[in-house]
Amino acid sequence: MAEKVLTVAQDGSAEYKTVQEAVDAVPENNADRIVIRVAPGVYKQPVFVPKNKGMITMIGSRPEDTILTWDNTAAKIEHHLDAEVIGKGTFGCGTVIVGGQDFIAENMTFENAAPEGSHQAVAVRVSGDRSAFYNCRFLGWQDTLYLHQGKQYLRDCYIEGDVDFIFGNSTVLFEHCHIHCKAAGFVTAQSRKTAEDTTGFVFLRCVITGNGGPAYAYLGRPWGPFGRVLFAYTHMDACIHNVGWHNWDNTENEKTACFYEYRCFGPGFTADKRVDWSKQLSNEEAEAYLKHEFVDPDPQQSWLAQKLGHRIPHNA
């Protein structure tokens, strides 16, 4: 069955002028994939994908040319929907909020344009399970990318910010992504709550860059006491603190946080100076994290394969 395609262009040359209008046109409880093709432009608008609208693919031409931007913060939310629908505070302030399952975005930029110092200002919040992003950019400062829950896969993406700018309690694989630390702060704030929780962030073959000065950013701190993050085969430039990780000013977190590295390199990778409660994994310990199965555990019913088709093989 051919995919249904909806088109968006601000100049009126497509079916819809706003991305939200196209999302609104997707039937509730949709079972077949619908593609929303977004023409180049800077779309100054918040976008909300509700829980009952799954199987949406949003495609731009190039991330540099197809930009969704808004400037909400946790303290100031202006939206076409009220707080009972989108939520309040950090949870509700995303420029784009994805509640529907099986969401895909390609060649898009998602920006929260609130200025530095605005505190929590989310570019994208993802609450829908089995979401994937390809060749996308996530721009902001504090709390840029909120991976709230579910499983997500990001490949060839660019993510920037300063404080806790990749955060949440999802199970996420970042592959070949560029992470940019714009100012002093923390790359991750993963919020795993218990030892039995299977969530965590894995950065596989990524690059971390900064804005010049040495040692001003930490790899992460535990938003939840069992926060779990692994950087594997990742280049780290000198912006990363020698100690690597932060306990969020709570020594109790040092007993439970799972902060790992594996075969990383670059001037910001100083294994012998890392906090003693983080860990450099062995080959055997790292193996389970270095595959797509970390986010897609059943190869017989692979959600990545069903959505990607020929795009990438199942094994990383």
Side-chain angles (χ1 to χ4, degrees), residues 34-150:
I34 292 180
V35 175
I36 299 175
R37 292 198 172 274
V38 185
V42 179
Y43 295 80
K44 295 181 178 180
Q45 57 191 247
V47 175
F48 178 71
V49 180
K51 290 181 181 180
N52 61 2
K53 296 197 176 187
M55 299 289 286
I56 291 175
T57 296
M58 192 177 294
I59 301 178
S61 57
R62 287 189 298 268
E64 295 81 7
D65 298 335
T66 314
I67 301 167
L68 298 181
T69 183
W70 199 239
D71 61 354
N72 281 339
T73 70
K76 177 193 72 70
I77 297 178
E78 296 178 4
H79 209 284
H80 59 283
L81 298 170
D82 61 34
E84 293 300 317
V85 177
I86 64 168
K88 300 178 181 179
T90 304
F91 188 76
C93 75
T95 296
V96 175
I97 296 174
V98 179
Q101 296 186 344
D102 298 292
F103 177 85
I104 300 173
E106 300 181 34
N107 305 329
M108 301 284 297
T109 288
F110 305 99
E111 179 185 45
N112 191 307
E116 182 180 9
S118 299
H119 302 292
Q120 297 91 341
V122 174
V124 174
R125 189 248 292 171
V126 184
S127 297
D129 197 14
R130 301 183 301 274
S131 297
F133 296 84
Y134 303 94
N135 195 34
C136 289
R137 298 192 305 164
F138 303 86
L139 310 183
W141 290 92
Q142 181 172 346
D143 291 4
T144 305
L145 180 56
Y146 188 179
L147 300 168
H148 170 229
Q149 64 183 14

Side-chain angles (χ1 to χ4, degrees), residues 260-281:
Y260 306 140
E261 294 166 82
Y262 178 71
R263 297 195 180 188
C264 294
F265 54 99
F269 177 63
T270 52
D272 59 331
K273 297 179 181 179
R274 292 297 196 242
V275 292
D276 59 12
W277 44 274
S278 67
K279 188 173 184 178
Q280 302 296 320
L281 297 186

